Structures are given as C-alpha cells and as structure tokens.
Amino acid sequence: MRTIILAVTAAVAVVVPGAPASAGPPTLTALRAALLTGAEAPTGYRLVEGPQNVPLPIPRNRTLCSDDPSPDDGPETTVVMESFEEDGGTSVLLGLAAPGGFNARAFVTAMEATPVRCPKDGGSTLTPLTPPALGDAAAGFRDVRPSVYGTSSESTVVAVADGDLVVLFEMSGGDESDRAEVTAFLTATVRKLDRIPDQFSAA
C-alpha cells in the first residue's frame, strides 16, 4: 500500500473560530486533543494507534507525484496523526496540522493537481474526487493499485484547509460502502474542531 500521508503526505475541511493573532498557533498538545477519540469515530472503527507527531514536507508549488519530490531543505510542518481500523480490514489515517493559511492551502492545491499531473504513477491509477463540502478548500483523489493476485486495492486520500489548519485523511481498503464513511469521519472531525474555543489562531 502506498501510504501517502506518511510517505509524503485522504478527507476534510475544518471550520474553527478565529482567535486574536497574538494568541499564536495551537500547540501540538492542543492538536492532539482535537483529534477524534475511539468513541468519537464512526461506528465500527477502533483507534489502533495514536496520536503521533509526524514531520511532513509542505508541498509548495508541487504535487504528490512520485517524480515530484520535496527538496531536502524545503519547509515542513508537524502533523499529529492517528490510525483507525474496522473488522473488515479497512484502515484510516487521520492527521491535523496548523501550518498557517498559505501552507494549509498548499496541501489542498497539491492534492488537486496530483491526479492531473500523474494519472498513472508508479503502477497506480489516480483519479480526482470531490470531497465533502467542508471548510475553505478541499481536494482529494482515489489511488487504485493492481496486485499480483489479479485484484486491486484502493485508497481515498483527502486534504482540507480552513484558516490556518489542514486535516489530512487516508482510507485504505474496503468497498464502496466503506468509502461512504469518508464523509462521516470528516464531518465528525470538523464538528469537534468547531467546538474548540479560541485556541486555534493565526500562525
């Protein structure tokens, strides 16, 4: 499986109230507290790992295509990330970062441009998708990869930005009914962020 969130970087937008700029960006502790707990995840999913702090390149003027790597000295942000599973084998990675508004949109722009620039990428077929209408900007794609057994595996990858925050989401495995739960995951995430008072502010 090509784990896009961990390797370079599927979905969401977040709507949060703004705090005075002097308050500064949220701490990693605050971001961890804003992630979904196992009890808050959609029915059937359990929290299996998290949260972890993962450094992630900010894809300014880039895509997530395998031939478009991030420069070694490029900007990074820290994503607080956790993982969920359900009994059928479907797995979800959910991450939250506060890179500032410009950089948050860079993730969405990269996500949108990736299947256009490289619809075939390292054996995968990438197709754009329309994520739930949440937040300021959102984009995503589906990644379908053939296996040696003649079947295929699929991931749904989404980034959504609102204000200074970006939520990263990736669902791997499952069938069409599982993919319908993308909206449930993202909506639950947005609602939790929306309840958090003014700790989220301009970076």
Side-chain angles (χ1 to χ4, degrees):
M1 157 180 129
R2 178 170 116 180
T3 305
I4 296 169
I5 290 177
L6 287 173
V8 182
T9 171
V12 196
V14 295
V15 181
V16 296
S22 59
T27 64
L28 293 178
T29 298
L31 292 177
R32 285 193 290 271
L35 287 170
L36 296 182
T37 66
E40 294 166 333
T43 302
Y45 284 86
R46 61 187 180 277
L47 183 65
V48 293
E49 186 176 19
Q52 298 182 19
N53 298 339
V54 179
L56 193 66
I58 297 170
R60 291 180 182 169
N61 302 314
R62 296 191 303 106
T63 65
L64 305 182
C65 299
S66 58
D67 64 349
D68 192 16
S70 173
D72 292 338
D73 59 349
E76 289 188 344
T77 189
T78 298
V79 179
V80 177
M81 188 157 51
E82 60 189 359
S83 60
F84 297 85
E85 287 184 356
E86 56 96 32
D87 290 339
T90 304
S91 62
V92 165
L93 294 174
L94 181 64
L96 179 63
F102 179 83
N103 291 327
R105 286 183 175 272
F107 279 99
V108 175
T109 299
M111 199 76 70
E112 184 175 31
T114 294
V116 177
R117 184 181 183 276
C118 57
K120 299 288 186 180
D121 187 42
S124 294
T125 299
L126 309 182
T127 56
L129 61 82
T130 301
L134 301 168
D136 290 340
F141 58 85
R142 287 203 171 99
D143 179 349
V144 178
R145 300 165 300 286
S147 75
V148 295
Y149 304 106
T151 58
S152 63
S153 58
E154 180 173 325
S155 294
T156 299
V157 189
V158 182
V160 184
D162 187 273
D164 298 318
L165 301 183
V166 61
V167 181
L168 301 172
F169 176 93
E170 181 174 355
M171 175 181 282
S172 299
D175 54 22
E176 194 61 38
S177 63
D178 293 304
R179 290 188 284 276
E181 294 168 344
V182 170
T183 298
F185 254 103
L186 298 178
T187 299
T189 302
V190 170
R191 287 177 176 171
K192 183 168 184 178
L193 290 170
D194 209 19
R195 293 196 301 267
I196 297 174
D198 301 331
Q199 60 183 313
F200 294 106
S201 61

